[in-house]
Amino acid sequence: MNYLDDLKHIVTLNSYTSNKIGVDKNGEIFDEWMRSIGYDIEIHHRESIGSHRHYKSASVDGKKLLLIGHLDTVFPQRSFESFSEDDSWVYGAGVCDMKGGNIVALQALRNLYSQNIDIRNIDMLLVSDEESGSDDSKYLSQKLAPQYDYAFIYEAAGKNLELVTGRKGVGTFTCNIVGKASHAGNHYSRGVDANLEASYKLQKLVSLTNLELGTTLNVGKISGGIGANTISPNASITFEIRYKLVSEKERLLDAIDKIVKSSYVDGSTATLSGGIQRDVMQSSSSSFNLLKKINIISKQNLPSEERGGVSDANIFSACGVVTLDGFGPFGDGDHTVHERASKESFKSRIELSEKLFSHFVENLEF
């Protein structure tokens, strides 16, 4: 299983998002692998983060498929850089999220190439900053999206090898509140308590959660004040929203704006920063129709699921590309030192991708 040797090679190379040298080295290894099966490479150079890689096959008239992965992982240098395996599992940073997924796509393409099948209209994009929110690469993804009809994202499969048809949208915000400091003993009434204002806003914000609709607002961090003997002159609230419906996004944004602009403690003011990080990937008739075609082509009955977490699938789906996620291997413990991926799932996912790619290059559509 040479692809597991390849996986070990890149897993033991640290590619923490902020480690540009490591991320670029990971990309250079993929450059060599993709070039060996006939791909052209367009590198989108970046100075402070790793460069993004766009691998291009021969282009002919017909629909186009983009395979998507990311080069970065979440562990800083010298914190988790080992690779091990037993009869059933491989262990290491990125074995399922998502160096393992990248290897699945690569090996399926290699299998086609080894059969002298002309690979055409199947491109691949590996970005360098997905784990930190795709703050840079999302603009490249949005630019490339109109060139493609389908997008397969190689994040990890579900426990039962589910493909992902939907993901929540996510936004992160900070509300900064300004009050007025004064001595809590001598001049209590002269102060404007920013902490008290924050408490009112916090409760108003959290009340926007609607679990029945899959909408959550989580205040993850609060700070403010100087000390116990001073009326707080400032406070901040950092919070996240997640939503399954575009209508819920609109409701949340409107309500958040009103809460920030309202002053519950006379004299306090507030400003809002942040925004939507990745918009919702809504399950659609197009994605379900594609799943049905995949089941026919693969002669399987693959289950599907929606997830609360986000990926670059959100970006391509929001751009109107028919998108499915979860084409990588099954694993768990991602973002922890217990990350692992199932060896058997590598085999089944490579076989699935090979069947789909073979059908696509012959028919140039699904």
Side-chain angles (χ1 to χ4, degrees), residues 16-308:
Y16 176 50
T17 311
S18 297
N19 177 16
K20 176 175 170 56
I21 293 175
V23 175
D24 281 341
K25 181 62 178 176
N26 189 14
E28 289 163 7
I29 292 169
F30 261 91
D31 292 349
E32 181 180 345
W33 288 338
M34 295 296 285
R35 192 178 288 114
S36 72
I37 57 174
Y39 273 79
D40 293 328
I41 305 166
E42 184 176 1
I43 300 175
H44 297 266
H45 294 280
R46 298 294 185 266
E47 293 184 3
S48 59
I49 60 172
S51 298
H52 313 304
R53 259 79 182 172
H54 188 199
Y55 302 107
K56 299 180 180 180
S57 65
S59 180
V60 297
D61 289 340
K63 294 189 175 181
K64 296 191 70 176
L65 168 64
L66 183 64
L67 317 178
I68 300 157
H70 61 84
L71 297 163
D72 59 323
T73 48
V74 300
F75 289 94
Q77 289 175 275
R78 293 174 292 279
S79 62
F80 183 37
E81 297 169 358
S82 62
F83 178 91
S84 61
E85 60 181 298
D86 56 31
D87 290 343
S88 301
W89 302 89
V90 290
Y91 304 84
V95 291
C96 69
D97 186 19
M98 69 175 299
K99 292 179 178 180
N102 298 341
I103 289 291
V104 167
L106 169 69
Q107 188 60 41
L109 292 169
R110 280 174 168 170
N111 291 349
L112 261 64
Y113 185 81
S114 69
Q115 299 168 48
N116 296 318
I117 296 174
D118 291 331
I119 301 173
R120 51 187 185 163
N121 287 23
I122 302 178
D123 297 349
M124 187 170 184
L125 176 67
L126 296 181
V127 303
S128 69
D129 63 344
E130 194 274 346
E131 294 292 6
S132 60
S134 299
D135 290 338
D136 180 271
S137 63
K138 66 183 178 183
Y139 298 107
L140 173 62
S141 296
Q142 290 166 351
K143 180 180 178 181
L144 293 177
Q147 302 176 24
Y148 296 93
D149 301 280
Y150 311 102
F152 288 178
I153 288 75
Y154 278 78
E155 295 282 4
K159 184 176 182 179
N160 299 306
L161 298 183
E162 292 91 346
L163 289 174
V164 180
T165 59
R167 288 182 179 271
K168 288 186 178 183
V170 62
T172 305
F173 303 84
T174 296
C175 176
N176 289 305
I177 301 162
V178 176
K180 180 181 178 182
S182 66
H183 194 288
N186 295 331
H187 304 294
Y188 184 91
S189 298
R190 295 182 186 178
V192 177
D193 192 340
N195 285 353
L196 179 59
E197 176 69 14
S199 73
Y200 285 117
K201 290 188 186 303
L202 184 153
Q203 294 178 72
K204 295 285 186 180
L205 289 166
V206 172
S207 70
L208 298 175
T209 292
N210 185 329
L211 295 178
E212 290 184 0
L213 294 179
T215 302
T216 57
L217 190 151
N218 177 62
V219 176
K221 181 180 179 181
I222 57 174
S223 61
I226 296 171
N229 63 350
T230 304
I231 303 298
S232 173
N234 51 62
S236 70
I237 306 170
T238 298
F239 60 96
E240 176 192 84
I241 61 171
R242 290 185 186 254
Y243 53 93
K244 294 174 65 174
L245 303 172
V246 173
S247 59
E248 280 294 278
K249 176 188 72 172
E250 295 169 350
R251 179 183 71 86
L252 287 169
L253 293 179
D254 182 62
I256 289 166
D257 183 62
K258 291 178 181 177
I259 291 168
V260 171
K261 289 179 178 178
S262 298
S263 181
Y264 305 96
V265 175
D266 288 344
S268 67
T269 59
T271 57
L272 185 69
S273 59
I276 300 299
Q277 191 179 56
R278 292 187 180 98
D279 212 342
V280 62
M281 174 192 180
Q282 283 192 215
S283 296
S284 66
S285 58
S286 296
S287 59
F288 283 119
N289 285 337
L290 178 56
L291 180 59
K292 290 178 182 178
K293 292 177 182 178
I294 286 173
N295 285 335
I296 293 171
I297 295 165
S298 65
K299 298 180 180 179
Q300 299 181 57
N301 186 20
L302 293 165
S304 65
E305 65 179 0
E306 296 184 354
R307 293 182 184 171

